[in-house]
Amino acid sequence: MPGRPLPSRRTVLRSAAATPVAGLGLAACSPGDDGAAPARPTAPVDLGAEGAVAGGEAKLYRDENVVVSRGEDGALKAFSTVCTHAGCPIKKLEGAKLVCPCHGSEFDARSGEVLHAPATVALVELPVEVKQGRIVVSPGT
């Protein structure tokens, strides 16, 4: 029967071996099993005691995908820690620098600004306030 020649055994085995490797590469770039992490909380989140963030420092709240920093003047700022490049949740804070595990983007935890590409857009700023001595972050608009 005329048609294309059948692939060799070697070609079939190479293709089968490469398939799982390609899948691992795609999985490493994805933020989770169910897609990108939400860029902001869906409701107000109580992050704990106001004193948990000292002046001039930042604290990463991994489970909530939020970072809170306090300026030397005592003012609080909060940002989503979902990378603006590919939607990966950022789980690493080095001093005041957030480092995305997916592609290496870096952000300033005090301003949300991009410090290192591939991200080009700053982190989403979130409304933050102190209520009854507790830090509360809201989804905002």
Side-chain angles (χ1 to χ4, degrees):
M1 188 156 106
R4 292 189 305 182
L6 293 174
S8 71
R9 180 173 180 259
R10 179 175 291 171
T11 301
V12 170
L13 290 175
R14 280 186 185 161
S15 297
T19 300
V21 173
L24 285 175
L26 290 173
C29 291
S30 69
D33 294 338
D34 56 355
R40 59 182 78 226
T42 56
V45 178
D46 182 332
L47 298 176
E50 177 184 9
V53 183
E57 295 187 9
K59 182 171 180 181
L60 177 60
Y61 295 88
R62 287 179 182 85
D63 292 342
E64 292 81 7
N65 291 329
V66 172
V67 65
V68 176
S69 64
R70 183 183 299 273
E72 295 295 341
D73 64 355
L76 292 173
K77 281 195 165 195
F79 299 93
S80 165
T81 56
V82 175
C83 182
T84 57
H85 171 248
C88 298
I90 300 170
K91 304 295 183 187
K92 186 175 185 181
L93 177 65
E94 297 173 346
K97 180 174 63 174
L98 293 159
V99 182
C100 180
C102 292
H103 302 106
S105 293
E106 296 177 358
F107 300 88
D108 186 322
R110 299 165 298 198
S111 67
E113 294 300 314
V114 176
L115 299 174
H116 187 272
T120 58
V121 176
L123 294 173
V124 175
E125 187 166 1
L126 302 170
V128 60
E129 60 185 324
V130 176
K131 289 185 179 179
Q132 299 177 346
R134 314 271 305 160
I135 299 172
V136 178
V137 173
S138 300
T141 56

